[in-house]
Amino acid sequence: MAEGSKDQGCAGATDPEEDSPNVIVYRKIEDIVMRIQDEKAGGVAIRTVKSFLSKIPSVVSGADIVQWLMKNLTIEDAAEAIHLGSLVAAQGYLFPISDHVLTLKDDGTLYRFQSPYFWPSNCWEPENTDYAIYLCKRTMQNKARLELADYEAENLARLQRAFARKWEFIFMQAEAQVKIDRKKDKAERKILDSQERAFWDVHRPVPGCVNTTEMDIRKCRRERNPHRVKKSVYGVPDDSQSQPSPAHIPSQPTKKPTKEDVQKEITFLNVQLDRHCMKVSKVADSLMGYTEQFMEYDPFVSVTEPSNPWISDDTSFWDLEASRDPSQQRVKKWGFSLEEALKDPVGRDQFLKFLESEFSSENLRFWLAVQELKRRPLQEVASRAQEIWQEFLAEGAPSSINLDSHSYERTSQNLKDPGRYSFEDAQEHIFKLMKSDSYARFLRSNIYQDLLLARKKGKSLTGKRLTGLMQSS
């Protein structure tokens, strides 16, 4: 491990920020980690492992760590020791050398301990600019050993767009760090690269993994200085980070607030007043209403006719659901929402028939064309996107649709590089138009009401017919 890292680690460990709500937990974990690394006091032996073509320095196996935890912490169950070790790994104190997922396995998987400089007790809050420098630096180093994972490549592209104006500065920072790293010993550089990668696996975890650096509101309220200056890993400030709101900045007793300060506070409070809030009781009522509405359509809660295909060999229920002659339940479901009506092929056809009677079928035909575009093979997407534009959006289009200027401009920009989701804004606008206007009239129309009444009257007759068919078969 580098002497510089050791010095930094000591400096960070001797002067911690004691206002962190997790500081007690960190101290206990660090005590365990230091005992594991202390070979003279019975810790785990840190060794260099020979692989096929190279050597892997400063590693231990997962099985050795589990055995040490069971022996020294009086843990009888191996599963409990693995769970404790995984919690320590999730905080970034130890990490697998060949995996981004920070868990402990009771096998020969090789692990390495994190440098004290990167311990979470140092209250790191790395900026997005730090992460951009790290990812940019990875692209300049050994491709085979430090190649970006898919999610990291996506993050790099996103950050490059966000920091387009200062990307040259970020690139220069990464380039300078790469030059310094190349002067170090190969084994030392390999250790430092893995430790830096593990640090970012904690603060920018793999999608699907828990971010252990996030704190709930109760822990945040226990911080002594919640608006302290964030610590940057590479010393680069991030201008994009949001500043604390004027209403929550503690006022200085010796400084009188200026007119600009008051205006900022008023603006912030007005934004807070305009925020859409909903009571928990209303959310619960909405959830209960949704559950009660769809309860009769759940075959595991309600009785299905003629039989439940999930617990029997009779598939008549599925045949009825796929038939062009919808049951009363299916017709009734179209009235729940426009989404439900469009999910059912028969409901979609009936809604299209109604729109044709009102000479506004182009809206639904456009929406269906965009849905079909999303399922097209990639090589056909560009040509089909141009066809949709010419049919519905181009000047003098045969089936012109009514779009607002914002959606039209966004769509025309997207078609310069057409893709499956180029019409997303236009499709959303048209869907809202149909939902607020045409769909409500469809539910009141004779087409829907007659079909609903006919299904209701024919329900008992259909049930008898099904019973007769089953008996004859």
Side-chain angles (χ1 to χ4, degrees):
M1 193 176 297
E3 292 179 6
S5 298
K6 287 181 179 179
D7 295 338
Q8 288 172 320
C10 293
T14 56
D15 187 25
E17 293 196 34
E18 297 294 340
D19 65 334
S20 172
N22 294 329
V23 68
I24 298 175
V25 177
Y26 293 152
R27 292 290 172 262
K28 291 182 178 180
I29 294 176
E30 287 163 11
D31 179 61
I32 294 173
V33 171
M34 292 173 70
R35 288 171 58 190
I36 296 175
Q37 296 182 80
D38 190 356
E39 296 184 37
K40 296 180 180 178
V44 178
I46 300 175
R47 61 190 189 276
T48 298
V49 177
K50 293 182 180 179
S51 64
F52 180 62
L53 293 174
S54 62
K55 296 180 180 179
I56 306 174
S58 302
V59 292
V60 296
S61 69
D64 291 341
I65 297 175
V66 172
Q67 290 176 8
W68 188 93
L69 292 173
M70 294 180 67
K71 179 181 178 181
N72 292 270
L73 301 182
T74 61
I75 299 175
E76 297 179 357
D77 188 3
E80 184 179 349
I82 294 171
H83 176 65
L84 176 61
S86 295
L87 293 178
V88 174
Q91 298 292 339
Y93 286 96
L94 58 94
F95 55 91
I97 64 170
S98 58
D99 195 354
H100 288 278
V101 181
L102 302 177
T103 56
L104 180 65
K105 299 178 182 178
D106 187 12
D107 54 20
T109 303
L110 298 178
Y111 290 81
R112 186 171 286 143
F113 290 99
Q114 182 60 282
S115 166
Y117 176 70
F118 288 124
W119 281 357
S121 58
N122 290 325
C123 300
W124 289 111
E125 293 184 34
E127 310 284 7
N128 284 331
T129 44
D130 295 324
Y131 190 44
I133 290 172
Y134 163 71
L135 293 176
C136 192
K137 185 169 65 173
R138 284 267 301 277
T139 61
M140 304 175 187
Q141 294 172 332
N142 189 318
K143 300 294 183 182
R145 184 164 55 87
L146 296 167
E147 186 177 3
L148 294 181
D150 291 341
Y151 79 95
E152 290 178 318
E154 292 174 5
N155 290 340
L156 178 61
R158 194 178 299 115
L159 289 169
Q160 193 167 3
R161 290 194 297 270
F163 297 125
R165 294 183 178 180
K166 59 191 299 187
W167 191 253
E168 185 177 354
F169 172 69
I170 291 173
F171 186 84
M172 289 171 60
Q173 286 281 331
E175 203 170 30
Q177 291 187 27
V178 169
K179 290 180 180 177
I180 294 172
D181 290 342
R182 284 173 180 164
K183 296 177 182 178
K184 297 175 182 176
D185 179 69
K186 184 177 180 181
E188 178 189 358
R189 190 168 68 243
K190 188 179 294 186
I191 293 172
L192 292 175
D193 288 341
S194 67
Q195 290 173 338
E196 189 178 19
R197 189 209 70 193
F199 171 81
W200 287 110
D201 286 340
V202 173
H203 292 273
R204 299 293 188 275
V206 180
C209 292
V210 177
N211 189 342
T212 57
T213 62
E214 293 180 351
M215 289 190 293
D216 60 36
I217 188 63
R218 290 171 295 181
K219 286 186 176 181
C220 290
R221 288 170 65 88
R222 294 205 298 269
E223 288 188 331
R224 296 179 190 173
N225 184 17
H227 298 308
R228 64 181 181 273
V229 178
K230 293 184 177 181
K231 295 171 66 177
S232 173
V233 184
Y234 306 121
V236 181
D238 187 354
D239 300 332
S240 68
Q241 292 291 332
S242 59
Q243 299 296 324
S245 62
H248 291 83
I249 297 177
S251 58
Q252 299 293 337
T254 58
K255 182 182 176 182
K256 188 176 180 180
T258 64
K259 183 180 178 181
E260 294 178 356
D261 295 335
V262 175
Q263 286 178 342
K264 286 181 181 180
E265 185 171 355
I266 292 171
T267 303
F268 171 77
L269 293 174
N270 284 332
V271 171
Q272 298 304 307
L273 287 173
D274 293 338
R275 286 180 61 187
H276 178 71
C277 299
M278 185 176 289
K279 293 182 178 179
V280 175
S281 58
K282 290 188 176 181
V283 175
D285 289 341
S286 177
L287 180 60
M288 291 173 64
Y290 179 87
T291 304
E292 292 171 358
Q293 185 180 46
F294 283 88
M295 186 177 294
E296 63 177 301
Y297 296 91
D298 191 333
F300 293 100
V301 178
S302 304
V303 178
T304 58
E305 294 181 1
S307 63
N308 191 336
W310 282 274
I311 58 176
S312 68
D313 294 331
D314 185 8
T315 60
S316 301
F317 174 79
W318 288 335
D319 296 336
L320 285 173
E321 288 295 303
S323 70
R324 302 294 298 179
D325 185 20
S327 63
Q328 192 257 349
Q329 267 193 329
R330 280 174 63 186
V331 177
K332 182 182 174 183
K333 198 174 182 181
W334 302 347
F336 291 171
S337 65
L338 178 57
E339 291 88 345
E340 294 295 335
L342 296 179
K343 282 180 186 177
D344 193 320
V346 181
R348 192 163 57 240
D349 292 345
Q350 292 296 329
F351 186 47
L352 180 61
K353 181 180 177 183
F354 167 75
L355 292 177
E356 288 173 348
S357 67
E358 290 197 335
F359 304 100
S360 59
S361 62
E362 65 277 358
N363 287 337
L364 181 56
R365 288 191 286 110
F366 170 75
W367 189 88
L368 293 173
V370 175
Q371 287 294 98
E372 185 263 344
L373 175 69
K374 295 175 183 178
R375 297 188 289 269
R376 283 254 177 167
L378 190 59
Q379 60 269 23
E380 300 177 10
V381 168
S383 59
R384 179 55 182 154
Q386 291 298 332
E387 290 174 4
I388 294 174
W389 174 268
Q390 293 298 328
E391 184 178 358
F392 297 101
L393 292 168
E395 189 175 350
S399 302
S400 179
I401 58 175
N402 187 19
L403 275 188
D404 64 296
S405 58
H406 174 72
S407 300
Y408 185 87
E409 290 174 5
R410 288 286 299 272
T411 304
S412 60
Q413 286 292 329
N414 292 341
L415 279 180
K416 293 179 180 178
D417 183 20
R420 291 192 177 97
Y421 298 91
S422 297
F423 295 96
E424 194 72 12
D425 294 297
Q427 187 187 32
E428 184 178 355
H429 179 77
I430 291 299
F431 184 84
K432 288 179 179 178
L433 282 180
M434 293 191 297
K435 187 176 183 178
S436 61
D437 186 26
S438 305
Y439 175 65
R441 294 201 304 274
F442 169 68
L443 297 182
R444 297 192 299 267
S445 68
N446 292 333
I447 292 178
Y448 178 73
Q449 293 295 332
D450 292 347
L451 190 60
L452 184 63
L453 186 62
R455 296 299 101 187
K456 194 170 184 179
K457 288 181 179 179
K459 183 180 178 183
S460 59
L461 180 62
T462 304
K464 291 179 181 178
R465 188 183 303 118
L466 281 170
T467 305
L469 287 170
M470 290 172 65
Q471 289 176 352
S472 62
S473 59

